[in-house]
Amino acid sequence: MPQQLAGFSVPDALQQRLGTFLVGGYKGQSTFIDLDKLVNEPLVNVEQQHILGILGGREEDYDRQTLTPQVGDAVGTAYSASLTVPTGQVWYINAVRTVLDTQAAAQGLVGNWRCSLWPDRADEPNPAGQSFHPATGLVQAAGGTTTWLDEFGPIATAWLLTNKVPL
């Protein structure tokens, strides 16, 4: 009957001669093979190189969210909506595009977006996560249509300091 190893550390299991372990050398030290690094982590790179689709802002409520201010709303009214990555999927994002159109609305629209993977550390945290732009650096519509790209990738910071390197 096989024994369960829950609660055992690798040294405990070795001392009690439970199973076989792969041992290797790394930087002059003896180490155990980490199956997470050996199996799971390389899969992340494979997922990035074998995409199953493109998120291009073509489908409302899937990869695009449109919010429309209403005539008569008070100044400072906040509008929000969310997009959710479907269970079992991994999305690698290389840009978030914010478009503010003030042609049919009052001037002074500001935009921002949040990611729930980034905890909001405010006194009253927003459940949607931390905002990408600080309050002093919000995307602002100057009249007409303003389009803003927040980009991610190896050279993204060369285009704009607030861009980020990891996808």
Side-chain angles (χ1 to χ4, degrees):
M1 180 171 159
Q3 293 184 1
Q4 292 193 5
L5 294 177
F8 276 92
S9 67
V10 173
D12 292 338
L14 281 174
Q15 186 176 13
Q16 295 184 27
R17 299 178 191 269
L18 299 173
T20 305
F21 299 88
L22 292 173
V23 178
Y26 179 71
K27 295 185 177 180
Q29 300 288 325
S30 295
T31 60
F32 293 97
I33 300 296
D34 184 339
L35 292 178
D36 180 60
K37 288 187 174 102
L38 189 66
V39 177
N40 292 332
E41 290 185 17
L43 292 177
V44 172
N45 293 328
V46 170
E47 287 172 343
Q48 284 184 1
Q49 296 178 23
H50 297 282
I51 63 172
L52 300 176
I54 298 198
L55 305 171
R58 294 173 285 208
E59 190 176 337
E60 188 69 33
D61 295 325
Y62 179 70
D63 63 350
R64 180 183 73 222
Q65 198 60 263
T66 302
L67 303 171
T68 306
Q70 302 299 313
V71 174
D73 285 347
V75 172
T77 299
Y79 303 91
S80 67
S82 63
L83 294 175
T84 303
V85 177
T87 302
Q89 292 186 17
V90 176
W91 287 6
Y92 293 94
I93 307 296
N94 69 351
V96 172
R97 181 176 60 198
T98 303
V99 179
L100 301 174
D101 184 358
T102 62
Q103 293 179 11
Q107 300 292 320
L109 287 177
V110 294
N112 204 345
W113 60 275
R114 295 175 177 270
C115 179
S116 62
L117 292 175
W118 308 330
D120 187 4
R121 297 173 40 92
D123 291 338
E124 293 182 31
N126 188 314
Q130 183 184 46
S131 61
F132 186 78
H133 297 280
T136 58
L138 296 174
V139 178
Q140 297 187 8
T145 301
T146 300
T147 301
W148 187 267
L149 285 177
D150 296 313
E151 299 171 282
F152 304 85
I155 62 169
T157 55
W159 298 313
L160 190 63
L161 188 59
T162 55
N163 289 339
K164 304 296 177 227
V165 173
L167 294 173

